[in-house]
Amino acid sequence: MSSNGGSIQLTAQPRTEKKGSAIRGLRLKGRIPAVVYGSELEGTPVHVDAKEFNKVVKTGRSEVFNLTIEGEETIPVIIKDYQQRDNHWLHADFLKISKNKPLRVRVSIDYQGTPAGTKKGGILQVQETEVEVEGLPADLPSTIEVDVSALEVGDKVSASDLKLPKGVTLHVPGEELLASIIVSRAAEVENAAVEGDAAATEGAGKASENKEA
């Protein structure tokens, strides 16, 4: 589990043109149209470099970083939302935050390890890849690590099983299912076949006994 460091930087340029043709032109130049908003800040249209934005996204959506708007100011923000299609960035929303006020965000879940149950025909079925939490920006984790290596067939991971940093609270029901180890369809068919063979063998044995009697 890694926490926010605040050392990441991203530079944005003001965006004056809002027409579709201008936005398409920005994307062709490797830029992403975006909007910055938040407390005491009206929606400000900007655009950022796609490659640099990609580096920030990899750190996690709850990661606080400094966004410098050319000719204006540097402000602490998080990525509130983004749109992507065919591995191409379409748009991004940056939210200005206050480091002294709790923030509610969705954090990615990082499932680590190979479940023990997979050796017995089970597979890891993931229901949720993110979970909503709240805390001060400096306390928020960029990801939440979950070790699934000890899980057997039938075991599950619920939201209440997550280990959160001090000062960070969960904002989903504790019983919400995040992942489970289920029996694969192939294993079910194989087990049914084995049980069928065993039943057939037992039936043949009883028939033989009856003939001898």
Side-chain angles (χ1 to χ4, degrees):
M1 183 184 295
S2 55
S3 299
N4 290 309
S7 60
I8 299 173
Q9 304 271 345
L10 184 64
T11 300
Q13 295 179 0
R15 175 166 57 91
T16 55
E17 291 290 338
K18 300 179 182 180
K19 295 181 180 180
S21 57
I23 291 177
R24 287 192 294 272
L26 285 173
R27 292 172 181 151
L28 289 173
K29 294 177 182 178
R31 308 291 296 183
I32 304 173
V35 174
V36 188
Y37 61 93
S39 177
E40 300 179 358
L41 179 66
E42 294 183 3
T44 302
V46 298
H47 57 92
V48 298
D49 182 79
K51 292 182 179 179
E52 293 302 313
F53 178 76
N54 193 53
K55 294 178 183 177
V56 176
V57 170
K58 289 181 178 179
T59 66
R61 282 176 57 181
S62 66
E63 187 80 22
V64 177
F65 61 95
N66 292 321
L67 180 71
T68 300
I69 303 176
E70 289 189 353
E72 298 184 28
E73 59 181 334
T74 296
I75 55 177
V77 301
I78 63 168
I79 299 173
K80 183 62 177 178
D81 199 6
Y82 55 73
Q83 296 176 356
Q84 189 180 30
R85 181 188 302 155
D86 299 329
N87 293 321
H88 293 289
W89 300 112
L90 300 180
H91 191 272
D93 290 343
F94 300 114
L95 176 66
K96 178 183 177 182
I97 58 97
S98 170
K99 295 184 177 181
N100 298 318
K101 292 182 179 180
L103 184 66
R104 188 179 298 185
V105 297
R106 293 191 66 82
V107 179
S108 297
I109 302 173
D110 181 13
Y111 296 98
Q112 298 188 339
T114 301
T118 59
K119 298 178 181 178
K120 302 173 184 177
I123 58 174
L124 175 63
Q125 185 176 66
V126 175
Q127 274 77 24
E128 298 291 341
T129 58
E130 293 183 333
V131 67
E132 189 173 47
V133 299
E134 183 176 23
L136 292 176
D139 296 332
L140 293 172
S142 56
T143 60
I144 299 175
E145 297 175 357
V146 178
D147 185 2
V148 297
S149 59
L151 298 183
E152 298 285 356
V153 174
D155 289 346
K156 62 182 181 179
V157 179
S158 299
S160 59
D161 297 321
L162 298 178
K163 296 180 180 179
L164 301 176
K166 184 178 180 180
V168 177
T169 56
L170 194 64
H171 268 271
V172 297
E175 64 274 14
E176 181 170 325
L177 181 63
L178 304 180
S180 57
I181 307 300
I182 64 173
V183 179
S184 67
R185 179 59 182 167
E188 288 180 346
V189 171
E190 183 178 347
N191 290 338
V194 171
E195 291 174 0
D197 290 342
T201 300
E202 182 179 353
K206 290 182 177 180
S208 177
E209 292 175 1
N210 291 335
K211 287 182 179 180
E212 291 178 358

